[in-house]
């Protein structure tokens, strides 16, 4: 649960610190995610819709991409969300690709 998320985040940050890259201290994830109730895990939960919004300004600020299109469709209970989808069609993860590209110098890890 939460402790495994805490350990994973700590290991990612520690790796970059040991590589003398302390600027790589942010985590990328997707909106609407939930990773637990410990302090580090709360920081990678959705900061706007999640129950941890009370801690905004206290928790470290990480980077959030839009949830993938297929996740949005599943949430809307569209059972045919992949029906007829061509391979070259947008999978809805373009915001994550853009986030990873534009913040590469400060990213320590991605959590999904």
């Amino acid at each position: 649960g939460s402790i495994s998320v805490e350990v994973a985040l700590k290991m990612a940050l520690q790796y970059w610190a040991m590589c003398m890259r302390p600027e790589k201290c942010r985590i990328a994830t997707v909106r609407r995610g939930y990773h637990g109730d410990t302090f580090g895990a709360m920081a990678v939960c959705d900061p706007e819709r999640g129950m941890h919004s009370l801690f905004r300004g206290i928790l470290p600020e990480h980077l959030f991409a839009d949830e993938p299109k297929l996740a949005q469709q599943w949430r809307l209970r569209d059972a045919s969300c992949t029906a007829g989808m061509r391979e070259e069609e947008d999978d809805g993860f373009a915001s994550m690709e853009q986030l990873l590209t534009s913040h590469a110098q400060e990213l320590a890890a991605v959590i999904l």
Side-chain angles (χ1 to χ4, degrees):
S2 297
I3 300 300
S4 62
V5 171
E6 293 285 333
V7 171
L9 295 172
K10 181 180 135 187
M11 288 175 67
L13 297 171
Q14 185 176 5
Y15 171 81
W16 289 111
M18 292 178 69
C19 290
M20 308 306 259
R21 300 285 309 274
E23 73 279 7
K24 293 181 79 65
C25 61
R26 296 184 79 190
I27 309 298
T29 189
V30 294
R31 296 198 180 282
R32 301 184 84 83
Y34 175 80
H35 300 287
D37 291 322
T38 56
F39 201 71
M42 289 191 311
V44 289
C45 292
D46 192 318
E48 295 168 14
R49 295 182 200 94
M51 63 187 216
H52 302 121
S53 60
L54 293 169
F55 298 95
R56 185 178 295 126
I58 299 170
L59 296 169
E61 291 187 25
H62 293 297
L63 302 165
F64 293 84
D66 296 331
E67 63 182 319
K69 186 185 302 182
L70 293 177
Q72 294 169 16
Q73 292 172 343
W74 178 84
R75 188 170 38 79
L76 296 173
R77 303 281 188 232
D78 182 356
S80 62
C81 64
T82 58
M85 189 172 179
R86 294 189 319 265
E87 189 174 324
E88 67 272 7
E89 284 187 86
D90 176 23
D91 62 3
F93 224 45
S95 70
M96 177 61 87
E97 184 176 358
Q98 193 272 331
L99 186 143
L100 295 175
T101 301
S102 62
H103 293 278
Q105 295 302 314
E106 61 184 324
L107 278 174
V110 174
I111 184 171
L112 298 175

